[in-house]
Amino acid sequence: MSKPTAAPRFDWHGRRQGRKLRVGRKRLVENLLPRISLALPPDGRPFDPRGQFQPAPRELWLEIGFGAGEHLAGQASRHRDIGFIGCEVFLNGLASALAHIDRESLTNVRLLHEDARGLLPRLPEASVQRVYLLFPDPWPKRRHRERRFTGRANLDALARVMADGAELRIASDDIGYIRWTLENTRLHPDLVWLARGPQDWRQPPADWLPTRYQEKAIRAGLNPKYLTFQRRPRG
């Protein structure tokens, strides 16, 4: 009998935890998180996450690096027939998201306290209808650019799991990150940028929910940019 194959692990260069969790947040991590964690098969094989929602969701939406979770929980509250998967490595952000989920009594959210790069290869092809990547770490230094999420390898992985016509929404207040992202996505054969004019990247989508990082950037006098890409039809 062959030994189970371990799931791939990736180098993580950001923080995993900040200040000590408050008692209430710690209790949520201990009690609520086990109930809504995305259950990954231990042998590293692909799986269909729809079976972890009751009832099965109409669509699957994925948020990569959800920060404090206010956007993830807000969208899940608006769309209770959609299954939301949120990936976040930072423990304090995870605990904040749990507080939002608990307060709204959300049953359509599953969280993964891991790097999203380990999840993408295990999701079924064409299984996700929307992906959010909002205000990711811009890694502004030239020597760190390979750490940016919107490199070719990650875009390939996203394109594989995105259904035909699915949207990839990216927001950032760092112009270097925006330019980098446009360079990579506009060259990608499976993704098309939906912008038709300047307002399409200067203004957020109509169904946008504010995030803590967005508000912080605006208070600092920065102008976030909002990019929406669509998955081209296969074959």
Side-chain angles (χ1 to χ4, degrees):
M1 183 177 179
S2 60
K3 296 176 63 177
T5 302
R9 297 189 65 83
F10 298 90
D11 292 334
W12 177 256
H13 300 283
R15 294 188 301 163
R16 289 187 174 271
Q17 185 172 355
R19 65 181 63 183
K20 184 178 179 181
L21 296 179
R22 299 195 298 268
V23 173
R25 297 279 174 95
K26 183 179 179 182
R27 187 177 298 117
L28 288 171
V29 171
E30 293 172 347
N31 298 325
L32 178 58
L33 181 59
R35 300 203 303 269
I36 66 170
S37 287
L38 192 66
L40 300 182
D43 58 1
R45 69 180 183 273
F47 75 109
D48 187 353
R50 289 177 182 270
Q52 299 187 27
F53 294 90
Q54 296 296 330
R58 178 172 59 86
E59 293 183 353
L60 283 179
W61 293 6
L62 170 67
E63 184 162 349
I64 297 171
F66 54 72
E70 67 276 4
H71 178 270
L72 176 69
Q75 292 289 359
S77 182
R78 282 185 176 183
H79 306 282
R80 295 191 181 240
D81 60 337
I82 291 175
F84 286 80
I85 298 175
C87 300
E88 179 59 64
V89 174
F90 189 51
L91 179 62
N92 299 68
L94 187 80
S96 176
L98 289 169
H100 290 295
I101 291 167
D102 183 58
R103 188 179 306 116
E104 297 292 330
S105 300
L106 299 174
T107 61
N108 57 330
V109 180
R110 296 294 178 267
L111 302 182
L112 183 65
H113 185 203
E114 295 290 346
D115 191 320
R117 291 176 296 172
L119 172 65
L120 293 176
R122 305 179 68 178
L123 293 176
E125 182 174 352
S127 61
V128 176
Q129 282 71 34
R130 184 176 294 180
V131 180
Y132 293 101
L133 180 66
L134 307 181
F135 300 93
D137 193 325
W139 295 110
K141 295 182 180 179
R142 182 178 295 275
R143 68 177 183 272
H144 293 157
R145 287 181 181 177
E146 72 279 359
R147 300 178 184 176
R148 293 172 172 173
F149 194 87
T150 48
R152 179 58 187 258
N154 290 335
L155 291 177
D156 286 346
L158 286 173
R160 187 190 70 82
V161 304
M162 291 170 65
D164 292 359
E167 288 189 356
L168 168 61
R169 296 187 177 185
I170 301 173
S172 178
D173 54 60
D174 186 276
I175 192 62
Y177 192 92
I178 290 294
R179 288 171 176 161
W180 163 277
T181 296
L182 284 173
E183 287 173 4
N184 287 315
T185 49
R186 294 182 73 181
L187 292 174
H188 199 282
D190 296 328
L191 299 171
V192 58
W193 188 25
L194 295 183
R196 295 293 180 267
Q199 293 307 309
D200 291 331
W201 68 81
R202 292 174 181 167
Q203 299 295 328
D207 61 349
W208 177 265
L209 288 173
T211 77
R212 184 178 303 181
Y213 291 104
Q214 175 199 21
E215 293 172 344
K216 180 180 178 181
I218 292 173
R219 287 197 302 270
L222 302 175
N223 296 307
K225 303 297 185 289
Y226 309 89
L227 309 178
T228 301
F229 303 90
Q230 190 173 61
R231 212 298 181 184
R232 296 182 188 273
R234 290 165 169 78

